[in-house]
Amino acid sequence: PTLRRVLVPDQIVDAADIASLQLMTFVGDITGADLLDAAEWSSLRQVQASFVAASFTVTNRLGRLPELEAVGTASRVTTATNVPFDALDYLRHGANAQNLKHVHLRMHGRGIPVDALQRALPHAERIYIEGAGYDPAAAPPDVSLFRELTSLRQLDVDLHHPVDIPPAFWRSLNEAGRLESLSLYTSRAIRFDAVSPANLPVLREVFIGHYGTREMAAVCANMWRFLAELPALEKLRVYLSADTGAAMSHFFIPGGRAATRLTQLKLLGDFPPDEVLAQLLATATNLRTLELEAGATLNDGACLRGITAPLHTLVLPIWTGTVPPQMVQHNLARLSDLQHVQFWFAHRRINASAILRDITVHCPQIRTVQLREPAEEDVEPTGPRVSLLLPHGGDGEKVTW
C-alpha cells in the first residue's frame, strides 16, 4: 500500500509535510503506481532507498517532485531483471535532476553509465559515489565526471577501473571553484593534467588513494606537483606507492608554501626510507596532526627526527607488542608540543605496563595515549594521565597510569 501518513505519538503527519523519506526493504518489490505522487509529497526533499533483494520503480515519479534536493541508494541487487531504485538512473532521465544538491550512491561494483556522468549538476553541493565500476575503454575519450559543478563543496569518489582513466575525465573539477573537500580512491593512478589548481581556490582537504599497479615516476610526480600548487590545501591524506620519495620532493620543499601550510597529514602505504621521510616531514613546519599508516615497520621512529612543527597529535603503527624504547626516549620525547598519541598494534599481546612506564618517565608533555589492537572498533582513551582501558586478552583490563 502507498504510504500517505505517518502516525507518531499524539499526532498524525501528512505526506505533504514530510521532507525526508528513507526506505529499507529486504524482500519483494515496491512498484505501486501511486507511490511518491507529486500531489501527495509536495514537500519531499530527500529520498534514500536501501535494498538487498527488492526492486523499486519510481524514477518517473521522482522527476515530478518539485522540491527534491537529495537522492541516495544502496543495493546489492545487480541482475538485469531486478533493477532497484537507482539514483544514477534518475540522474540520466529525471526531469528535475539538475536541481539536486546531494547525491549519495553505494554501487557495490555496478558500473556508471556514461549518460549519467554527462549530467549537469549546477546545484550539487555534495556528491558521494562508493564502489562504482567504470571502464574508460568503453567510453568516449571526452567523458568527464559530470558537468557544471559550480556549487560543489564536497566530492567523494571510489572507482574501480581496469585501465587508466584519461586525464580529461577530471576536467570538470575546473568548474568546481567552491570545492572544499576532495576524496578520490581509484584502482589505478590519477593524472590531473587537465585540471588547473588555480581553479580550486578554497580546496582545503584532499585524499588521494589508489591500489593495484605501481605508479610510474612521471605520474607520481604529476600528482605531487598538482597538490603543491593548490592555493589553500591544509589537510592531506595520500596513499603512497613504492619509490615515491623523489616525487614527494615536489611538495615537501624547505620553506615551500605547500608544505608549511599543512596542518594535518596522513600517509599510507609504502613509505620511502626513514632518512628520506625525515627530510620530507621536516619541511611541514606548521603540522598539528600526523598519522603514519605504513605497510612496513617504522622501526625506532627515525622518520620523526627532523620534525620541528608544533605537533599536537601523532598516530603510529607498531608491528610488535611494545613500543621500542628508542622511539619514546629519542623521538617522542623531543616533540615538546605533543599531547596525544595513538599506537596501532599488529599483535594482540600488548606490553601496556612497559609502554606507559616509558612514556611517563620520558614524555611528561603527553596527556593521552590510545593503544589499538587489530580490528578494534574503539578503545577508550586516557584522561589527563589518569587511566587507560585496554582490551588486553579480550578482558578489558583496566590499567592505572
Side-chain angles (χ1 to χ4, degrees):
T2 302
L3 178 65
R4 299 290 184 186
R5 294 182 175 181
V6 178
L7 179 64
V8 295
D10 302 323
Q11 61 180 320
I12 295 178
V13 180
D14 286 323
D17 297 324
I18 296 176
S20 179
L21 176 65
Q22 183 174 5
L23 298 171
M24 300 183 67
T25 184
F26 293 88
V27 294
D29 297 338
I30 303 176
T31 56
D34 296 329
L35 188 65
L36 300 186
D37 191 308
E40 297 285 343
W41 297 83
S42 57
S43 299
L44 193 61
R45 296 176 181 272
Q46 301 180 30
V47 176
Q48 174 74 38
S50 300
F51 303 95
V52 173
S55 65
F56 182 41
T57 308
V58 294
T59 297
N60 293 334
R61 293 284 175 179
L62 289 177
R64 299 171 189 168
L65 295 171
E67 302 295 329
L68 192 63
E69 296 179 352
V71 294
T73 183
S75 174
R76 294 186 181 276
V77 179
T78 57
T79 61
T81 58
N82 190 23
V83 180
F85 161 70
D86 189 348
L88 273 176
D89 192 50
Y90 169 64
L91 289 179
R92 298 164 69 187
H93 306 298
N96 59 343
Q98 72 277 1
N99 296 328
L100 288 176
K101 292 185 178 181
H102 305 280
V103 178
H104 189 125
L105 309 172
R106 294 181 183 272
M107 300 296 291
H108 297 286
R110 296 174 59 207
I112 301 181
V114 171
D115 52 353
L117 288 173
Q118 290 303 305
R119 192 69 190 240
L121 297 173
H123 300 289
E125 297 177 1
R126 186 179 189 277
I127 298 175
Y128 178 95
I129 301 175
E130 178 186 341
Y134 179 65
D135 186 2
D142 60 343
V143 171
S144 65
L145 182 67
F146 304 115
R147 294 185 295 110
E148 298 180 29
L149 301 177
T150 52
S151 299
L152 193 63
R153 296 180 181 276
Q154 184 174 353
L155 177 63
D156 292 83
V157 177
D158 173 9
L159 282 182
H160 305 259
H161 43 98
V163 297
D164 289 341
I165 293 179
F169 183 79
W170 308 107
R171 72 181 185 278
S172 54
L173 294 178
N174 286 307
E175 304 172 300
R178 297 183 179 181
L179 190 64
E180 299 174 358
S181 175
L182 174 65
S183 176
L184 302 178
Y185 190 79
T186 66
S187 52
R188 298 178 73 91
I190 300 172
R191 291 195 67 109
F192 291 108
D193 304 57
V195 183
S196 171
N199 292 328
L200 300 168
V202 296
L203 182 56
R204 294 180 174 85
E205 184 172 0
V206 173
F207 169 61
I208 302 295
H210 82 277
Y211 54 93
T213 58
R214 176 182 295 188
E215 291 182 41
M216 294 183 298
V219 175
C220 191
N222 167 274
M223 180 192 72
W224 283 104
R225 279 194 295 265
F226 170 82
L227 294 173
E229 293 172 9
L230 290 172
L233 183 62
E234 297 176 354
K235 302 176 183 180
L236 177 62
R237 294 179 295 149
V238 180
Y239 194 99
L240 305 177
S241 58
D243 304 322
T244 58
M248 293 172 70
S249 65
H250 291 286
F251 184 97
F252 293 97
I253 301 171
R257 288 179 296 177
T260 56
R261 193 187 304 114
L262 277 188
T263 60
Q264 296 184 24
L265 175 64
K266 182 173 183 177
L267 300 177
L268 308 92
D270 298 321
F271 288 11
D274 280 351
E275 60 274 14
V276 175
L277 186 56
Q279 294 174 7
L280 298 172
L281 293 178
T283 67
T285 53
N286 288 300
L287 207 58
R288 301 293 191 275
T289 299
L290 175 63
E291 298 184 49
L292 301 179
E293 194 171 307
T297 178
L298 293 176
N299 298 318
D300 60 355
C303 61
L304 306 174
R305 291 176 183 170
I307 293 179
T308 59
L311 199 64
H312 182 272
T313 301
L314 179 64
V315 181
L316 295 173
I318 302 296
W319 291 85
T320 61
T322 190
V323 179
Q326 59 270 36
M327 177 184 289
V328 175
Q329 297 171 20
H330 297 151
N331 295 311
L332 298 189
R334 57 175 294 276
L335 299 174
S336 58
D337 294 288
L338 188 63
Q339 295 188 28
H340 308 289
V341 177
Q342 184 178 118
F343 297 112
W344 284 86
F345 289 87
H347 298 275
R348 288 197 171 274
R349 297 201 172 196
I350 300 174
N351 190 347
S353 59
I355 296 169
L356 299 181
R357 181 174 58 250
D358 217 16
I359 291 177
T360 300
V361 172
H362 298 283
C363 304
Q365 79 280 20
I366 294 179
R367 297 179 58 194
T368 68
V369 177
Q370 286 188 357
L371 309 183
R372 304 291 295 268
E373 292 182 344
E376 274 292 309
E377 289 296 330
D378 288 297
V379 177
E380 182 180 313
T382 67
R385 285 188 167 268
V386 177
S387 63
L388 176 67
L389 183 63
L390 288 175
H392 185 64
D395 297 327
E397 176 186 352
K398 194 80 170 182
V399 179
T400 300
W401 186 27

